[in-house]
Amino acid sequence: MPRLDLLIAHNLGLSRGVVTRLCRGRRVCTPEGVALTDPGLQIAPAELPRTVVVDEQLVTLRVSFHLMQHKPLGVVTALRDDRHPTAYELLKDAPLHRDLRAVGRLDRETSGLLLWTTEGPLLHRMTHPRYAVPRVYQAALARAWQAPPPGFTLDDGHVPEIAELRALDEAERHPGLEVPDGTERLAAITIVGGKFHEVRRIFAALGSEVLGLCRVAFGPLVLPNDLAAGEYEALDLHAMFSGMHPRPLAVGEADVEGA
Ligand code: URA
């Protein structure tokens, strides 16, 4: 069961020693004003998130946090980068910011749904190829694409798993998809897995070119139309992804990591 001192240390980025002194000094209270002087107080997981007052500031105590971000164009999916702004910098005010990690990645010039979680095992399941989570993208294209031929394979030998590829009506276009000058076609594509530049490489191999790309869904999660680029909202990824089961390995298939 989580202890009060560990929860406060985890949520505020303080050492346990500092938190012990705060408790003993009656500087940690319930919202009703009752001092919590025992740093070892056990807090049942069902009581979390729980609010306490530390030095007159309300603090919500959690063991984990998940969010969906509408990643804008022009930022990289990284915790830090010497050359470009990062999607992580846009989450500075999120709870447990230090422990948040992106669930896979989007290219700098791709916008859309990017999940973040503090839970490593959950992140692993959501990105591992054996859990086969489908991702849906909307694309603005320079020209028409050809239908994927039988045995369609990219030039590095990767066989994309395309669950759906179809023309996208203008009326279905997500507000997050930029449509640059020169766009001749809109497409919606659902792929299972997320190899490097996979959607761009698929359309290039099919004779087209991606000019704009936005991820609009990841598994059961859909990017809300009213979540503006750069914004995020909290969500419970457990409820959506914890019941997933891996598909069996095919004969000769390696158990590799995904993005
Ligand atoms: N495929 C791409 O080409 N880019 C992305 O960002 C995601 C999928």
Side-chain angles (χ1 to χ4, degrees), residues 105-111 137 191 194-201 210 213 215:
R105 62 185 299 283
L106 292 175
D107 297 338
R108 181 157 59 98
E109 293 316 325
T110 302
S111 60
Y137 295 84
I191 55 171
K195 287 270 188 278
F196 187 60
H197 292 335
E198 186 160 356
V199 173
R200 289 172 208 277
R201 293 195 296 137
V210 169
L213 190 59
R215 181 156 70 192

Side-chain angles (χ1 to χ4, degrees), residues 7 54 70 76 102 137 161 164 198 243:
L7 280 168
V54 180
H70 182 163
V76 291
Y137 295 84
E161 196 173 333
E164 187 183 39
E198 186 160 356

